[in-house]
Amino acid sequence: MSELKGSGQQTADAPTPEDAFHETATLDSREQTHAPGAAPDGPVLAADGTPLKRSLARALRMQKIRALALIAPLLIFVLLTFIAPIASMLFRSVENEIVSDTLPETVVVLNDWDSAGGAPLPESLFEAFYVDLFLAQEQKLHTRLGTRLNYEQTGMSSLFRKSGRQVGKFDTDKYTDQFTALDASWEDPASWVAMMDNKSNRTALPFTARSWDRWVAYLNTEGDDPAKEDIEDFLFTTLYLDLAKTGGKGASDARITAAGSAVGDFETVSLAEQFADAEKDWADPEIWRVIQTFSPKFTSGYYLNAIDMQKTPDGIEKRPENQQIYLMLFKRTMFMSLVITFSCIMLGYPVAWILANLPSRTANLLMILVLLPFWTSLLVRTSAWKVMLQQQGVINDTLVWLGLVADDARLVMINNQFGTIVAMTHILLPFMILPLYSVMQTIPPTYLRAAKSLGATNWTAFWRVYFPQSVPGIGAGSVLVFILAIGYYITPEIVGGNTGTFISNRIAFHISSSLNWGLGAALGTILLAVVMLLYWVYDKIVGIDNVKLG
């Protein structure tokens, strides 16, 4: 009998490769049993003559590699479809590179401009902005930049769009005419290519060299040859500005030296006046303060907007009261999600109890009714509730026919919070019933009979014996329903109106309509943080280990 028992234990607790590995290490240390042909004091050898310890280590390594290979497709799928989008959302919520990438020369000048001290706008600011805007409109980036800044200051979008159309018509062609009159070779693009390939020339003309590099990079993306394209007016403008400062000293090109001596007699153009004539708002320092404020590559502005604050040149401020909507939407989303979750518990618990206590054949037939909504489109189910809940809908018509409601006092049950709660409770109810049913099926009915035999009433037996065992199902269903509810946007959009929409509706609006992806990402990140916080609180109070699906 003891032999049988020992044999059974050996089968139940079969040794693993790790056990063999440790056992081999012990044998080596004690210099015990050796394989045939091994040295008297040497290590234990495998059949192929390899030390047993090394052979087992190799086997363990191969076993881990095979296990990793099996889960690799799932791991890659999760990384690509879950981790990567979340990481992208987190980055977009703080990313602000469009300003510095589109206006690099302007940002450098703005960093030295004392906007708080009331310093006047320097001419160099408009010179740098002229080059940046010319290149931006060639690449069609000025409209994107205007859209980004329009989130912070109304009117910026139209300002950049109009100025982009006019920047090519500025009077800077005067510089072009004067340089070509001085030396006709300045019109030859090939000579510019050769000039900008010389290091000493680039050192003597730093602004021109930077502008030339950006122009060549743009031409390359278009598939054009810089040696064959006409030299634009903005390059002659930068050439004049460089020569006016340095006189072309140190350049190896004789044309540069000659032009440096002649630019003192050139007719000049005030770019500040050119921009003011194009759009008078460019003379307003407040416009430039906005650009200066949002010139860093990373910003907290999106998160501030998401909590009804705003980043301004004067610091962080509250948004006007009529623009404070996001905190209210967050509160509404939390409240309505909790109400929907509670409604699903109240409606789903009795249904799950009935299913768990009916004979299997009957329970399976009724389970089909629970699963039936999954076979119907979400849009169809939501639209059906819109038809039923409207003032001329089925429910109101029935109430009027029964005489419970007057025909001229029909209930308003759509385009408000009530309609959203009703429709979403119906849609999410199966997600509460299924976990409850699976848990209740595991509760033996004999427990209730035993409690009643000991003198407990029906209510006491249920509350003290049955209900505590069903709590894990309530927890699982509640977590599932709440997380689904908090992120819903189709149903609130259709039946919610102005008072029944969720924060997810604003996120969808910014992602698909306004294209303010930064604000949409910030709202989504805050929503994710709130869900994680509530999950942590739930774990501390209830314990995630108590959540079961049967």
Side-chain angles (χ1 to χ4, degrees), residues 19-258:
D19 297 333
F21 182 83
H22 293 302
E23 183 177 351
T24 302
T26 304
L27 290 174
D28 286 346
S29 63
R30 295 181 180 179
E31 300 180 359
Q32 293 182 354
T33 308
H34 303 282
D41 296 328
V44 178
L45 302 179
D48 59 355
T50 306
L52 185 58
K53 183 177 180 180
R54 186 188 307 169
S55 178
L56 287 173
R58 184 169 61 247
L60 281 172
R61 186 164 58 252
M62 293 303 298
Q63 185 182 24
K64 292 178 180 178
I65 292 174
R66 284 195 298 270
L68 180 61
L70 289 173
I71 67 169
L74 177 60
L75 182 61
I76 295 173
F77 178 79
V78 171
L79 286 174
L80 293 178
T81 61
F82 184 71
I83 303 298
I86 291 179
S88 176
M89 179 180 68
L90 292 172
F91 177 72
R92 282 186 178 275
S93 64
V94 296
E95 183 268 333
N96 190 52
E97 294 181 349
I98 186 172
V99 179
S100 58
D101 288 350
T102 309
L103 307 176
E105 300 288 346
T106 307
V107 168
V108 172
V109 179
L110 284 174
N111 288 336
D112 297 329
W113 176 51
D114 183 13
S115 61
L121 297 172
E123 179 69 21
S124 60
L125 175 60
F126 293 96
E127 295 166 356
F129 184 61
Y130 166 68
V131 174
D132 287 335
L133 185 60
F134 186 92
L135 289 168
Q137 63 86 22
E138 287 287 336
Q139 301 173 70
K140 304 297 186 291
L141 295 176
H142 64 298
T143 53
R144 289 175 53 195
L145 176 61
T147 300
R148 164 67 188 98
L149 293 174
N150 200 70
Y151 300 146
E152 315 299 339
Q153 178 79 30
T154 303
M156 295 291 275
S157 179
S158 61
L159 183 62
F160 273 89
R161 186 170 60 254
K162 294 177 182 177
S163 300
R165 289 197 297 262
Q166 299 182 44
V167 69
K169 303 176 183 178
F170 284 3
D171 292 339
T172 52
D173 57 348
K174 292 180 179 179
Y175 293 125
T176 305
D177 296 338
Q178 293 176 90
F179 274 107
T180 54
L182 191 66
D183 189 336
S185 65
W186 283 112
E187 287 185 316
D188 181 18
S191 68
W192 276 76
V193 173
M195 180 179 69
M196 288 291 103
D197 283 342
N198 186 281
K199 185 176 181 181
S200 60
N201 292 336
R202 295 176 64 87
T203 303
L205 307 172
F207 191 16
T208 306
R210 295 194 302 270
S211 302
W212 173 259
D213 290 341
R214 294 170 64 189
W215 175 246
V216 169
Y218 165 66
L219 292 178
N220 289 335
T221 59
E222 296 294 314
D224 298 328
D225 185 0
K228 297 180 180 179
E229 294 296 320
D230 293 338
I231 304 301
E232 296 288 346
D233 293 337
F234 83 96
L235 288 171
F236 285 102
T237 303
T238 61
L239 178 61
Y240 166 78
L241 294 173
D242 278 333
L243 292 175
K245 292 178 182 178
T246 66
K249 294 180 181 179
S252 61
D253 193 321
R255 291 184 311 168
I256 298 176
T257 305

Side-chain angles (χ1 to χ4, degrees), residues 266-285:
F266 276 19
E267 181 182 357
T268 61
V269 177
S270 172
L271 287 170
E273 293 179 0
Q274 294 289 307
F275 275 105
D277 291 341
E279 286 293 332
K280 62 180 181 179
D281 288 339
W282 290 120
D284 183 5

Side-chain angles (χ1 to χ4, degrees), residues 459-482:
W459 170 252
T460 302
F462 167 77
W463 185 250
R464 299 284 298 276
V465 177
Y466 192 88
F467 181 79
Q469 296 182 80
S470 66
V471 167
I474 296 176
S478 298
V479 170
L480 192 59
V481 170
F482 181 80

Side-chain angles (χ1 to χ4, degrees), residues 369-389 414 419 422-431 488 490-491 494-495:
L369 299 179
V370 175
L371 298 176
L372 190 61
F374 289 123
W375 304 338
T376 308
S377 168
L378 173 63
L379 191 60
V380 171
R381 284 180 281 163
T382 304
S383 300
W385 276 112
K386 192 173 183 67
V387 173
M388 293 181 65
L389 295 174
I414 200 68
V422 170
M424 289 187 62
T425 298
H426 166 250
I427 291 170
L428 297 177
L429 189 57
F431 294 98
Y488 252 59
I490 295 179
T491 302
I494 295 176
V495 301

Side-chain angles (χ1 to χ4, degrees), residues 414-536:
I414 200 68
N415 296 329
N416 52 28
Q417 292 188 15
F418 178 81
T420 300
I421 291 172
V422 170
M424 289 187 62
T425 298
H426 166 250
I427 291 170
L428 297 177
L429 189 57
F431 294 98
M432 178 65 71
I433 294 175
L434 294 176
L436 281 170
Y437 171 67
S438 62
V439 170
M440 289 178 178
Q441 268 195 320
T442 64
I443 303 175
T446 55
Y447 287 4
L448 285 178
R449 291 198 294 268
K452 292 177 183 178
S453 68
L454 294 174
T457 62
N458 288 334
W459 170 252
T460 302
F462 167 77
W463 185 250
R464 299 284 298 276
V465 177
Y466 192 88
F467 181 79
Q469 296 182 80
S470 66
V471 167
I474 296 176
S478 298
V479 170
L480 192 59
V481 170
F482 181 80
I483 292 178
L484 288 173
I486 207 173
Y488 252 59
Y489 70 94
I490 295 179
T491 302
E493 183 70 25
I494 295 176
V495 301
N498 293 327
T499 61
T501 54
F502 285 9
I503 191 65
S504 51
N505 295 103
R506 298 304 299 175
I507 295 174
F509 168 75
H510 288 306
I511 296 297
S512 61
S513 298
S514 73
L515 301 183
N516 190 350
W517 288 6
L519 180 55
L523 291 170
T525 302
I526 293 175
L527 187 62
L528 176 63
V530 169
V531 171
M532 296 301 294
L533 177 62
L534 292 174
Y535 181 84
W536 178 80

